[in-house]
Amino acid sequence: TAVGSGMTALATLMHEAGHAAHFANVTQPSPLNSQERVPTSVAYAENQSMFLDSLVGDAAWRAKYACNKDGTPIPFDIIEEEIR
């Protein structure tokens, strides 16, 4: 597979989408605690990102939401093969 394609690309896309969702919804003030600003601290910012990229490896999520450009879901035998 080409660089930037397949499961790695999907995991990266989901991870970065988590950052986008996080920063698009930060409305609280930004206090400085231990040299980190709370809404942008590593632990706080990575929470949504790691959640979204973890969905890529979840067979049930992929079976329900992963589909091709025509809207056809990934055949479950492909997902099942990756689980085994």
Side-chain angles (χ1 to χ4, degrees):
T1 48
V3 173
S5 65
M7 291 297 288
T8 302
L10 180 58
T12 301
L13 178 66
M14 294 292 280
H15 183 90
E16 297 308 322
H19 285 303
H22 167 242
F23 287 111
N25 292 292
V26 171
T27 58
Q28 69 188 55
S30 179
L32 185 61
N33 293 331
S34 301
Q35 305 302 314
E36 286 192 336
R37 297 201 177 275
V38 175
T40 60
S41 70
V42 173
Y44 197 84
E46 288 298 315
N47 186 27
Q48 285 176 295
S49 297
M50 294 182 79
F51 170 72
L52 285 182
D53 70 24
S54 72
L55 291 177
V56 173
D58 183 88
W61 184 88
R62 286 176 54 211
K64 185 171 183 176
Y65 295 107
C67 24
N68 67 16
K69 65 182 178 180
D70 299 321
T72 306
I74 292 176
F76 193 76
D77 58 330
I78 293 174
I79 296 170
E80 185 178 32
E81 185 178 309
E82 292 176 2
I83 294 170
R84 294 178 190 263

